Amino acid sequence: MTIALETPALLFSATSLILLAYTNRFLTVASIVRGLKKNYQENQTKSILLEIKNLSLRLKLIRYMQMYGVLSLFFSVFSMALLFSDIPGWGTYIFGLSLLFMLASLAISFWEISISVKALQIHLSDLTEEASKKS
């Protein structure tokens, strides 16, 4: 199987947008952690510690998402260099490797999103309980 030089270039726009989204997630989670740290210094509660632990895991996952996304882009560019150098066999395999890194990045992203959704569901259930107690 051979691929054209343009095929690995298709990952460029997708990878750039995905890395931008990952960076935005990182900045948002980092901001929440800073706010929770300040909140914990004022009110030392166990729930804040649990949230910080959850966010710590999410930050690690985001780091891996970014790492695999960057590796995907790197190997995609390397694949293009091999194809340009008229080494299509290796170029094809390296491009396949870049696709695997992109899959890993997306899988970890799915994991991180599911953790985020569970955390939000816990907050919503707490709000529902508080609202029902007041009624």
Side-chain angles (χ1 to χ4, degrees), residues 36-81:
L36 281 175
K37 180 183 177 198
K38 182 180 177 187
N39 193 358
Y40 181 74
Q41 289 171 342
E42 295 169 2
N43 312 321
Q44 296 185 359
T45 63
K46 186 178 179 182
S47 64
I48 294 175
L49 282 178
L50 291 174
E51 284 187 61
I52 290 173
K53 183 178 177 184
N54 177 293
L55 291 169
S56 175
L57 173 62
R58 288 179 57 199
L59 284 172
K60 288 177 188 173
L61 292 175
I62 292 169
R63 179 180 63 205
Y64 288 121
M65 289 162 33
Q66 290 173 323
M67 181 183 70
Y68 286 122
V70 168
L71 284 171
S72 174
L73 184 59
F74 175 83
F75 282 107
S76 181
V77 171
F78 188 50
S79 168
M80 289 177 62

Side-chain angles (χ1 to χ4, degrees), residues 5 8 19 41 50 55 74 95 117 120 126 128:
L5 181 63
L19 289 174
Q41 289 171 342
L50 291 174
L55 291 169
F74 175 83
F95 179 63
V117 168
L120 289 174
D126 289 346
T128 306

Side-chain angles (χ1 to χ4, degrees), residues 1 3 17 31 41 49 56 65 71 74 92-93 95-97 102-103 107-108 111 118 133:
M1 176 180 147
I3 59 174
L17 291 173
S31 174
Q41 289 171 342
L49 282 178
S56 175
M65 289 162 33
L71 284 171
F74 175 83
T92 301
Y93 290 121
F95 179 63
L97 184 62
M102 181 55 69
L103 282 173
I108 295 170
W111 183 12
K118 285 179 188 174
K133 287 179 184 176

